[in-house]
Amino acid sequence: MTVAGTPGRGPLGGVRVVELAGIGPGPFAAMLLGDLGADVVRVDRPGGTALGIDPAYDVTNRNKRSVIVDLKAEDGPDTVLDLAERADILIEGYRPAVAERLGIGPEACHARNPRLVYGRMTGWGQQGPLAPRAGHDIAYLAPTGVLGMIGDPDEPPAVPANLLGDYAGGSLYLVVGVLAALHHARATGTGQVVDAAIVDGAAHLATMIHGMLAAGSWQDRRGANLLDGGCPFYGTYETADGRYMAVGALEQQFYDEFTALLGIADQLPDRWDLARWDELRETVAARFRTRTRDEWTAVFASSDACVAPVLSLREAPHHPHLAARGTFTEADGITQPAPAPRFSATPASVRGGPARPGDGTADVARDWGIPRLLKDGR
């Protein structure tokens, strides 16, 4: 196992990343770059960040090294600029203009390093009437139309943790953006600013749905469509033990196998008669309630019916398929998702556990050639 923070065996080995500490999508994006082999230095602030958990368990800080810099101290901004001068990518998640006020905005960084890719992660983006306003994942999802799509039609919209906004609409778009900009920088010698806004990414995730809406094949309300729980052969069903099975039997051959294994193929109305969807749903639901989740899992285990058990977070690592693939791994005694995706020539890995604030100072000062990180000059 290589040392955390050194160029790893992943495809981004040799890429240097500076992460200005924050919460949510920025740290996750930096973790993903670290998982893929980048040398990620997280610049923590004295006293830590809001909503922080015990650093020993914050696995979004794996594959990183941490230094502590007080940006309000006289030499704080210059220390960050020293890091930016040696980096390929910088990630920050401040409100617009905050980095500029601190003296570490894009202009200051590019004056030191014209090739730098400067990634900005926000909810509202760098421009627009809400750009200076505070927010969190759920508030960013709400105006995009995406939050309103999710959940039972007779209940308030469901809250998808912070997965859909922070991480899917935020972190992943930031990573795509900075890697595309890095490709451009290496080809041209010119860096640029990447404005990754959760509202933009979340809206973009719904591209297919907007096409279906324009075509008249999607209703602009919850629980009335093929993929939003409105369809009785694409949803979840409670089992006899109060657990759930997920059903995604869309294509005819999968649906036929599903209804045959469920044992009700001869009891169902035409599945495309939308007026009878409630009847179809109740027949399926009643049948699922006759056995436990694990019993139904065994029934569908070797089929193409597109049915799977709904597992909890603690159950998921023990699923036979996920266990066989190594979808989860254990590092520093913490079970956690393994790096993804997978590469045939440059495999990614968990090279080290969560970085503790400041614990990488000496190594980073040496490896990146920044002695000012060491207050006593050693």
Side-chain angles (χ1 to χ4, degrees), residues 11 48 63 144 150 160 167 197 212 217 229 237 244 279 287 344 350:
N63 288 338
T144 68
I150 304 171
Y167 296 148
M212 296 174 70
S217 57
Y237 289 93
Y244 293 87
E279 176 187 348
R287 182 60 176 157
S344 61
V350 177

Side-chain angles (χ1 to χ4, degrees), residues 174-375:
L174 177 62
V175 169
V176 169
V178 297
L179 291 181
L182 179 62
H183 177 76
H184 175 266
R186 289 185 165 179
T188 66
T190 303
Q192 61 183 300
V193 176
V194 177
D195 175 5
I198 293 172
V199 290
D200 295 346
H204 193 260
L205 288 169
T207 298
M208 183 190 75
I209 304 300
H210 279 278
M212 296 174 70
L213 184 67
S217 57
W218 188 277
Q219 298 183 63
D220 197 11
R221 56 192 179 90
R222 286 192 304 283
N225 300 284
L226 193 65
L227 303 175
D228 67 355
C231 172
F233 41 91
Y234 195 92
T236 57
Y237 289 93
E238 187 175 8
T239 55
D241 53 350
R243 297 177 178 179
Y244 293 87
M245 297 293 290
V247 176
L250 293 177
E251 292 83 355
Q252 187 63 49
Q253 68 270 30
F254 303 150
Y255 180 79
D256 290 344
E257 189 161 355
F258 163 62
T259 57
L261 289 172
L262 203 59
I264 55 173
D266 59 348
Q267 305 173 32
L268 302 176
D270 177 5
R271 70 176 182 139
W272 295 118
D273 183 352
L274 273 61
R276 301 185 69 182
W277 267 10
D278 286 345
E279 176 187 348
L280 174 54
R281 180 179 290 102
E282 182 48 45
T283 303
V284 171
R287 182 60 176 157
F288 268 119
R289 288 193 292 265
T290 64
R291 297 187 186 181
T292 67
R293 185 195 66 183
D294 291 348
E295 288 173 334
W296 283 120
T297 298
V299 169
F300 290 104
S302 301
S303 77
D304 280 338
C306 302
V307 177
V310 178
L311 303 185
S312 71
L313 291 174
R314 293 192 185 281
E315 290 177 311
H318 305 290
H319 185 277
H321 181 79
L322 304 186
R325 281 184 59 80
T327 299
F328 292 86
T329 189
E330 185 173 318
D332 284 6
I334 303 172
T335 299
Q336 57 198 273
R342 304 181 185 204
F343 300 84
S344 61
T346 55
S349 63
V350 177
R351 304 183 306 280
R356 272 61 161 188
D359 71 349
T361 301
D363 289 340
V364 174
R366 179 193 66 238
D367 297 343
W368 285 42
I370 306 177
R372 78 163 73 229
L373 282 168
L374 301 174
K375 298 298 184 182

Side-chain angles (χ1 to χ4, degrees), residues 2-8 15 17-44 49 55 58-67 91 167 171 174-175 332 336 349-361 363-364 367-368:
T2 57
V3 178
T6 61
V15 173
V17 178
V18 175
E19 174 202 349
L20 302 184
I23 60 173
F28 186 86
M31 180 206 76
L32 179 51
L33 294 171
D35 284 355
L36 300 183
D39 181 1
V40 179
V41 172
R42 176 179 167 92
V43 179
D44 279 302
T49 57
D58 188 354
V59 293
T60 63
N61 284 329
R62 72 189 186 191
N63 288 338
K64 303 177 184 179
R65 292 183 288 186
S66 169
V67 300
I91 291 174
Y167 296 148
S171 304
L174 177 62
V175 169
D332 284 6
Q336 57 198 273
S349 63
V350 177
R351 304 183 306 280
R356 272 61 161 188
D359 71 349
T361 301
D363 289 340
V364 174
D367 297 343
W368 285 42

